[in-house]
Amino acid sequence: MLDAKADYLLYGMADISALEFADALKNRLDPRSIRGLCYLVNTSEADQIPAGYIELPTFEKVKEDPHAFIEMFHTFYKNNDPLTARGLYQRHGTRYVIQNPPARIPTQVELDAIYALDYQRAQHPYYEMQGKVKALDTIQFSINTHHGCYGECNFCAIGVHQGRTIRTRSEESILDEAKQFTEYKDFKGIISDVGGPTANMYGYECSKKLKHGTCDHQRCVDDTHLCKKMKVDHTRVINLLRRLREVRGIKKAFVASGVRYDLINEDKRQGYEYLKEMVRHHISGQMKVAPEHTSPHVLHLMNKPGKQTLVDFKKLYERLNREEGKNQFLTYYLIAAHPGCTEKDMHDLKRFTTQELKMNPEQAQVFTPTPGTYSAVMYYTEMDPQTRQKIFVEKDTTRKEKQKQIVVAKDTFKSGFAS
């Protein structure tokens, strides 16, 4: 905000706060009380900081002291749920940056109204003279079923950006959008994706979280287990996919968004049925999953489930494909050079993909520290933010790339495995 020399900053999805902000400007009202808004005041105007807001360590302090940086991030992270958050402020030189509490969560009616707007599903005419935007092909006829993710992978900013509470669109809203696709002359009957940050989080949430906000003492899901209060239920998403297939003019509705395989394993009533539905109708040759790594200490720092969870899921997926007579594969997202990861860990990952997954990874992502994530805190401080213990962090660009090449290299791959 300071680098951009902006007067105001709207953060998060801003679907409600943007409208409130525009209305305030239109009516010449002071917008500084709007939730989901950041603004500046001079240090001489400290009396304008709202009562009850939490002061963070100064920018100058966190720049020099890693422990202060960790404390600041803990406070920031704990105050991003609309039901429980307090406002924050931080001194930066001669000014204070003030962050109001997050905007409230949209109701299903409000979310449906957002997706009922008259979107053109095309690039802006201004850019047409520069040629076709190829990236549009993958999203032009896709459907976003919900916002939010409670997976809380430490390297991912979705939990901060979209929130850790699932906001689900109604089935009718989604079906109406699919029906609108059939009116476009360039629609071929294929919906490229029906999903969200995590496709199989559609349609259920923790009742306690909806009433009281996210917990401070534990996460909904961590690297070892899923909270018992989170009752995973794939019933609604199964019914939604079945209804989508019945829409006239829809030939295929694929789920290209990533799925949490640990949630499928956890749902003892409908998990198997959901995966069977996916295998039969909604996979375009390959299903995307994100184990990211296999070394226990790296998975812990990532907040990802253990490798046995993946092995169990892979067996179920392959069994269903055999039963359905399908030749479909799993695609694995992998990360190299995450904080805590060494070259030895990448060699271990390579052995696992070769011996257990029976495949040779063709691509892996080199870790990039993303603002608003615990992994970025680890990268900067070189500490586990929960224990303050020192961890190895690879920061040399060449050695980061070497970690990636270890897992994608083909010279150690044994022939006879599916690639």
Side-chain angles (χ1 to χ4, degrees):
M1 185 177 182
L2 290 159
D3 292 341
K5 296 179 173 57
D7 297 309
Y8 301 102
L9 170 73
L10 294 171
Y11 68 91
M13 294 297 286
D15 30 23
I16 292 176
S17 51
L19 294 175
E20 295 175 343
F21 183 76
D23 188 62
L25 294 183
K26 177 182 178 181
N27 294 289
R28 300 181 181 279
L29 301 173
D30 186 348
R32 291 185 297 177
S33 63
I34 293 173
R35 296 177 68 102
L37 178 79
C38 298
Y39 60 96
L40 302 169
V41 300
N42 294 323
T43 52
S44 60
E45 303 170 315
D47 60 332
Q48 296 186 28
I49 299 172
Y53 279 30
I54 301 172
E55 182 173 11
L56 301 173
T58 68
F59 170 77
E60 291 76 14
K61 177 70 172 176
V62 300
K63 184 179 178 182
E64 300 298 331
D65 184 353
H67 292 278
F69 188 92
I70 290 173
E71 285 302 321
M72 178 199 69
F73 190 84
H74 284 327
T75 303
F76 160 77
Y77 196 80
K78 290 177 181 178
N79 284 277
N80 65 25
D81 186 289
L83 295 181
T84 59
R86 291 167 61 185
L88 307 172
Y89 67 99
Q90 181 186 42
R91 182 168 178 163
H92 189 299
T94 61
R95 289 179 288 183
Y96 285 105
V97 178
I98 301 175
Q99 175 179 301
N100 291 341
R104 65 175 177 81
I105 297 173
T107 64
Q108 187 175 89
V109 172
E110 290 171 328
L111 197 60
D112 287 353
I114 292 170
Y115 285 93
L117 295 173
D118 190 22
Y119 299 104
Q120 296 301 297
R121 299 189 179 277
Q123 67 197 73
H124 194 279
Y126 176 83
Y127 296 104
E128 287 183 355
M129 66 184 74
Q130 300 177 25
K132 181 179 176 62
V133 177
K134 294 183 179 180
L136 190 63
D137 293 340
T138 60
I139 62 171
Q140 184 178 17
F141 296 114
S142 65
I143 297 179
N144 194 343
T145 60
H146 60 285
H147 291 179
C149 180
Y150 57 78
E152 293 191 78
C153 300
N154 281 337
F155 49 81
C156 179
I158 290 176
V160 172
H161 173 63
Q162 290 200 13
R164 290 175 279 166
T165 301
I166 303 299
R167 285 93 72 201
T168 295
R169 291 173 63 186
S170 69
E171 286 84 344
E172 288 67 28
S173 170
I174 294 169
L175 292 169
D176 285 344
E177 185 174 359
K179 292 172 185 175
Q180 290 172 10
F181 290 172
T182 64
E183 300 174 5
Y184 288 78
K185 62 180 181 180
D186 51 348
F187 180 64
K188 308 300 183 184
I190 308 297
I191 298 177
S192 59
D193 186 25
V194 181
T198 301
N200 58 327
M201 286 186 184
Y202 174 83
Y204 62 91
E205 246 298 354
C206 167
S207 57
K208 181 181 178 181
K209 193 206 302 185
L210 291 173
K211 185 178 294 185
H212 302 291
T214 52
C215 296
D216 279 343
H217 65 287
Q218 67 178 27
R219 294 180 168 190
C220 297
V221 57
D222 59 28
D223 61 309
T224 59
H225 72 289
L226 179 77
C227 176
K228 294 181 179 179
K229 295 288 184 180
M230 180 62 71
K231 306 298 183 184
V232 180
D233 187 353
H234 289 85
T235 301
R236 276 188 71 182
V237 70
I238 292 171
N239 292 334
L240 170 66
L241 293 173
R242 288 173 177 171
R243 292 182 68 184
L244 271 174
R245 296 202 303 270
E246 295 173 357
V247 174
R248 186 174 181 179
I250 303 298
K251 299 176 183 177
K252 280 287 185 180
F254 293 119
V255 177
S257 294
V259 299
R260 289 283 301 223
Y261 52 85
D262 51 337
L263 298 182
I264 295 176
N265 292 355
E266 187 72 25
D267 186 357
K268 304 305 181 185
R269 296 186 302 113
Q270 292 293 335
Y272 176 84
E273 190 65 27
Y274 170 74
L275 186 57
K276 183 166 69 173
E277 200 80 7
M278 290 279 286
V279 168
R280 280 183 176 177
H281 304 289
H282 301 287
I283 297 174
S284 180
Q286 54 189 14
M287 184 177 186
K288 297 176 182 177
V289 294
E292 309 298 3
H293 216 285
T294 54
S295 294
H297 68 279
V298 178
L299 291 171
H300 174 72
L301 291 171
M302 290 179 166
N303 194 43
K304 296 292 293 185
K307 61 185 179 183
Q308 188 58 46
T309 306
L310 175 62
V311 171
D312 294 342
F313 174 78
K314 181 176 181 290
K315 290 178 181 177
L316 179 59
Y317 179 80
E318 291 176 342
R319 191 187 89 196
L320 279 171
N321 273 278
R322 287 194 300 270
E323 292 174 355
E324 297 295 328
K326 301 281 188 178
N327 187 30
Q328 299 174 142
F329 304 96
L330 290 173
T331 297
Y332 306 92
Y333 290 122
L334 303 173
I335 293 179
H338 185 277
C341 180
T342 65
E343 290 183 14
K344 178 184 179 302
D345 295 316
M346 295 308 294
H347 282 294
D348 290 343
L349 175 58
K350 179 66 173 181
R351 280 191 290 272
F352 181 85
T353 59
T354 301
Q355 298 171 9
E356 297 290 339
L357 301 183
K358 305 294 190 292
M359 53 84 71
N360 195 117
E362 295 186 359
Q363 56 184 345
Q365 175 186 351
V366 175
F367 169 76
T368 301
T370 305
T373 67
Y374 269 107
S375 293
V377 176
M378 298 176 204
Y379 187 85
Y380 169 61
T381 65
E382 300 183 16
M383 289 188 285
D384 180 336
Q386 308 303 330
T387 65
R388 307 292 177 94
Q389 291 182 345
K390 183 80 173 175
I391 59 174
F392 171 77
V393 177
E394 185 59 82
K395 294 186 177 181
D396 181 86
T397 303
T398 301
R399 289 195 290 267
K400 287 182 184 180
E401 184 63 26
K402 183 178 179 181
Q403 285 203 20
K404 172 183 173 180
Q405 293 306 319
I406 289 171
V407 77
V408 300
K410 295 185 178 182
D411 55 347
T412 59
F413 183 64
K414 298 179 180 179
S415 61
F417 295 144
S419 60

